[in-house]
Amino acid sequence: MKPYKEIVDILTHLQVVDEIHVFLVKMFEEIVSIKKQGELWVEDKQNLTFMEMKISLTKKISGVLYKCSDFSTNKLNKLTDKLTTREHIETDDELRRALSLNFVSLETEHQQLLEKFNDMNEKVMLQNSILNRLFKKFKSQQMVINHLEESTVTDKKLAKVKNEIMQELQAASSFMSVLATTVDNFSKEHIDLMKKEEEKDEMIRDIYEDIENMHRKHTVVVKVAKKLKILKKNTVKIKKNQTQDCRESRQALPEGSKVNASNHQKLIPVKEFLLSHLPSRYQHVEMLNLIQSLVDITVKLEVSGMSEERKNFKTNKQSLEMVLNQTQVKGVSKNVDDESNSSNTMSVIAANDVAFGSGKVDDVFIRTDKDGPCPCPKKCPEWGEIRVFTSAQLMYDDDDAKHFLCTFFYDDDEQVDQLKYARGERIVLRDLEKDLCMFICVTCDVELIRKLEGMLDKFEQSWEDAFDRYAKSVKWKDERLTVIVSHPYGLKKHIALGKASEDGGSEGGIHYDTPTCEGSVGAYVLMPDFDVKDDV
């Protein structure tokens, strides 16, 4: 029986033979596939070009050869490793010598095959490089041919387009000549239309400005009317018996005198007014502050050059005799121009006939260039407007308002150098039935505006303080106190105390026995009726 080791060795070789068989079958299949691809191309059943087909076959054949070379090398190394073991060499020297010769022969053949394969591979790679260069040249040539074909087509299209453009240009030339004539005709009509549109725009702007001015005036009127209803503002109406009483004591008015608090028929200079002049139930600092704050915003009104038109108003085709009496003042002249007093904006024209009245500052406004030009000749960038509340008997229109001069802070004859002035500008509200008038006076003295603004705030605060003090402690029907601050005969401010009548006045007015004089018309009537609810 054969030795076991020999049997194992032979079986190992047979196993290698089986592996070679399997490998060769696979290689045969690949070779058949390569051959079939080439035959299909020859039969024109492949879409590849000649260069693409040649490169594909070369790559696949090279792959088959690489696989065969690697497989043979691996198997030879495996057989060599097994046959050169120490056990075989020791057991059979003769076999070792035979195998050694055989291995040398196989290695020599393998080396020769490897050299041939490498040589063939180099040739294949060189051929591939040449084929790639040729393929690139072919592609480049194909692009040139395509470009030439496209250029030829483009030239034909350009020629066609050129002919079409020439035809269009000829048609456009004739059209432009006709259009030029038409444009000349329409341009004149367009210019006329533009002028008409500009005129319409200007008219619309004027209308909008008028509407805005009317809206502004309406807003002011509504605000003023509301304040009038809330505060129950009333102006002094001169009565003959009251005027006569004051005329008799006119010579004593400038000096004034301390009087008993119960005597309500006297006019008291503001510098001499004391708590003791008030009724006992009002002898508190709150009422004194309220009256003093009213003194601060009381204004002297003066107009010179009395005309028949101002003496007689015409309303509803009926002449109403103006109740304002006149006082002859010879040589009166107040110079308030910029040279003598930089804070004043206007000057008073001397005249033989001068009428006086009183009023109350109702509101103040600081204006700039955005609100319109300054009314003074200097055209100041900032100026002020003062709204004054007075009687409708004093002025009748905007032109008449321009003749009025407002004097502020005339409390004492010893400090006339501290007086401030402003000229009337226009009427905001005038109601003859209610005897109410609001008019605007202007000044370039912005500091005066700010000072008056502070005094208005003080008046409102004093009113609130007095309201808190007396609304629940004093009933109006028991006291019926009325206070009037005015400029009698155009002189310094005086305070007059009186009482309202119990039965009220006719036609919604209020009757009172507070003494008034020439120059008191338009003065504010202060009635501390804090416990009376308004009807509005």
Side-chain angles (χ1 to χ4, degrees):
M1 187 174 179
K2 295 180 180 179
Y4 174 75
K5 291 182 179 180
E6 293 178 356
I7 295 172
V8 171
D9 188 40
I10 295 301
L11 290 175
T12 301
H13 282 70
L14 293 176
Q15 184 179 0
V16 171
V17 171
D18 291 337
E19 292 176 357
I20 292 171
H21 179 265
V22 173
F23 174 76
L24 291 176
V25 170
K26 291 182 179 180
M27 290 297 101
F28 180 75
E29 291 177 354
E30 290 187 13
I31 292 170
V32 170
S33 176
I34 294 170
K35 182 179 178 182
K36 186 175 181 179
Q37 183 180 4
E39 291 175 351
L40 290 174
W41 185 86
V42 172
E43 294 174 359
D44 201 12
K45 295 181 179 180
Q46 285 280 354
N47 295 327
L48 299 176
T49 62
F50 168 73
M51 295 300 298
E52 292 175 345
M53 188 63 192
K54 188 173 182 179
I55 292 172
S56 177
L57 291 176
T58 303
K59 288 182 178 180
K60 290 182 178 181
I61 293 171
S62 299
V64 170
L65 293 175
Y66 273 121
K67 291 178 181 179
C68 292
S69 176
D70 290 339
F71 182 79
S72 61
T73 301
N74 291 333
K75 295 304 176 184
L76 286 174
N77 291 334
K78 184 176 180 181
L79 291 174
T80 302
D81 291 340
K82 290 184 178 181
L83 292 176
T84 55
T85 57
R86 184 179 297 276
E87 294 179 356
H88 287 282
I89 294 173
E90 290 178 352
T91 55
D92 195 351
D93 292 337
E94 185 178 353
L95 180 61
R96 180 175 62 81
R97 287 193 297 271
L99 288 174
S100 176
L101 293 173
N102 191 18
F103 286 152
V104 170
S105 177
L106 289 173
E107 185 175 357
T108 302
E109 291 179 1
H110 176 264
Q111 188 67 28
Q112 292 175 354
L113 289 173
L114 184 61
E115 290 177 357
K116 290 181 180 180
F117 175 77
N118 290 333
D119 184 56
M120 185 180 294
N121 186 41
E122 290 178 359
K123 291 180 180 180
V124 169
M125 295 299 293
L126 179 61
Q127 190 68 20
N128 285 337
S129 177
I130 295 171
L131 289 174
N132 287 333
R133 288 197 297 271
L134 291 174
F135 183 72
K136 290 180 180 179
K137 289 182 180 180
F138 174 76
K139 287 289 186 181
S140 177
Q141 190 67 25
Q142 187 68 29
M143 291 177 63
V144 171
I145 293 171
N146 293 336
H147 181 69
L148 291 174
E149 292 177 353
E150 292 177 357
S151 299
T152 303
V153 175
T154 303
D155 291 339
K156 292 180 180 179
K157 290 182 178 180
L158 288 175
K160 184 178 180 180
V161 171
K162 182 179 179 181
N163 293 331
E164 293 177 354
I165 291 174
M166 291 301 296
Q167 294 176 0
E168 292 291 337
L169 287 175
Q170 292 176 357
S173 177
S174 59
F175 174 76
M176 288 298 294
S177 61
V178 176
L179 183 62
T181 305
T182 306
V183 169
D184 291 337
N185 295 331
F186 278 105
S187 61
K188 296 180 180 180
E189 297 179 1
H190 178 69
I191 292 173
D192 295 337
L193 288 175
M194 289 296 293
K195 290 181 179 179
K196 292 180 180 179
E197 289 294 332
E198 290 177 357
E199 292 176 356
K200 289 182 180 179
D201 292 340
E202 187 175 356
M203 291 175 62
I204 292 172
R205 284 194 296 269
D206 294 339
I207 292 172
Y208 274 116
E209 289 179 359
D210 294 339
I211 293 173
E212 185 177 356
N213 292 332
M214 292 175 64
H215 178 70
R216 189 183 297 111
K217 290 182 179 180
H218 174 72
T219 303
V220 173
V221 169
V222 171
K223 182 179 178 181
V224 170
K226 184 176 180 181
K227 291 177 68 176
L228 291 176
K229 291 180 180 179
I230 294 176
L231 298 179
K232 287 191 174 181
K233 299 174 182 176
N234 300 279
T235 55
V236 174
K237 295 184 179 180
I238 303 300
K239 299 178 177 58
K240 292 183 178 180
N241 57 348
Q242 295 172 347
T243 304
Q244 185 65 30
D245 293 339
C246 291
R247 283 178 178 174
E248 295 175 357
S249 60
R250 178 183 172 189
Q251 298 299 327
L253 276 176
E255 297 297 329
S257 62
K258 294 183 179 179
V259 296
N260 189 277
S262 62
N263 187 358
H264 296 168
Q265 302 299 321
K266 299 293 184 180
L267 297 175
I268 308 167
V270 295
K271 295 295 184 180
E272 301 177 12
F273 189 78
L274 304 172
L275 275 176
S276 59
H277 292 121
L278 291 167
S280 59
R281 301 188 69 178
Y282 288 110
Q283 291 183 2
H284 304 96
V285 67
E286 288 83 2
M287 181 56 67
L288 186 63
N289 288 340
L290 178 58
I291 296 174
Q292 184 58 51
S293 64
L294 177 60
V295 169
D296 293 338
I297 57 178
T298 298
V299 185
K300 172 187 170 182
L301 304 179
E302 179 180 347
V303 61
S304 59
M306 294 297 294
S307 63
E308 292 298 327
E309 188 176 12
R310 185 175 293 112
K311 293 177 183 178
N312 298 284
F313 295 112
K314 292 183 179 180
T315 304
N316 297 327
K317 298 182 180 180
Q318 295 180 356
S319 298
L320 300 178
E321 181 178 358
M322 186 176 181
V323 297
L324 179 62
N325 294 298
Q326 303 174 25
T327 302
Q328 298 293 329
V329 181
K330 296 183 179 180
V332 174
S333 176
K334 297 184 183 297
N335 187 7
V336 291
D337 56 10
D338 294 330
E339 294 180 359
S340 61
N341 192 337
S342 60
S343 64
N344 302 319
T345 60
M346 303 293 179
S347 62
V348 181
I349 301 174
N352 291 328
D353 294 333
V354 179
F356 299 104
S358 300
K360 169 186 166 294
V361 176
D362 184 69
D363 206 349
V364 293
F365 312 92
I366 294 179
R367 303 300 188 189
T368 62
D369 294 337
K370 296 180 180 179
D371 302 308
C374 174
C376 79
K378 288 186 175 182
K379 303 300 179 184
C380 304
E382 192 176 49
W383 71 96
E385 290 185 349
I386 305 170
R387 191 169 69 206
V388 179
F389 173 75
T390 186
S391 170
Q393 303 173 33
L394 284 177
M395 58 187 72
Y396 51 87
D397 57 18
D398 289 346
D399 183 66
D400 191 41
K402 297 180 186 298
H403 294 83
F404 276 79
L405 180 71
C406 300
T407 304
F408 303 90
F409 317 134
Y410 185 16
D411 301 345
D412 192 346
D413 290 328
E414 297 178 359
Q415 297 179 346
V416 292
D417 57 333
Q418 298 181 6
L419 301 183
K420 301 291 183 180
Y421 304 93
R423 174 67 68 182
E425 176 68 18
R426 65 185 183 277
I427 293 177
V428 177
L429 170 67
R430 182 170 181 267
D431 190 337
L432 277 175
E433 182 179 353
K434 296 181 180 180
D435 192 22
L436 302 176
C437 179
M438 289 280 188
F439 75 97
I440 297 293
C441 55
V442 295
T443 177
C444 294
D445 188 354
V446 180
E447 293 300 323
L448 171 61
I449 300 298
R450 293 192 173 95
K451 184 176 181 179
L452 290 174
E453 185 176 19
M455 290 179 172
L456 287 171
D457 294 339
K458 179 183 176 183
F459 177 75
E460 292 182 3
Q461 184 61 48
S462 299
W463 181 276
E464 293 177 2
D465 294 342
F467 180 89
D468 295 338
R469 176 80 187 199
Y470 300 110
K472 296 182 180 180
S473 62
V474 179
K475 292 184 178 180
W476 162 253
K477 65 179 181 179
D478 295 338
E479 295 295 333
R480 294 176 282 109
L481 174 65
T482 57
V483 182
I484 296 177
V485 181
S486 65
H487 288 271
Y489 302 101
L491 301 176
K492 63 184 179 181
K493 295 174 188 174
H494 285 68
I495 299 173
L497 304 178
K499 282 191 175 184
S501 61
E502 296 183 4
D503 57 351
S506 60
E507 298 180 357
I510 297 176
H511 290 170
Y512 45 82
D513 60 4
T514 311
T516 55
C517 298
E518 297 175 9
S520 297
V521 62
Y524 182 82
V525 180
L526 176 64
M527 295 183 297
D529 53 347
F530 302 116
D531 63 319
V532 179
K533 294 184 179 180
D534 294 329
D535 295 333
V536 295

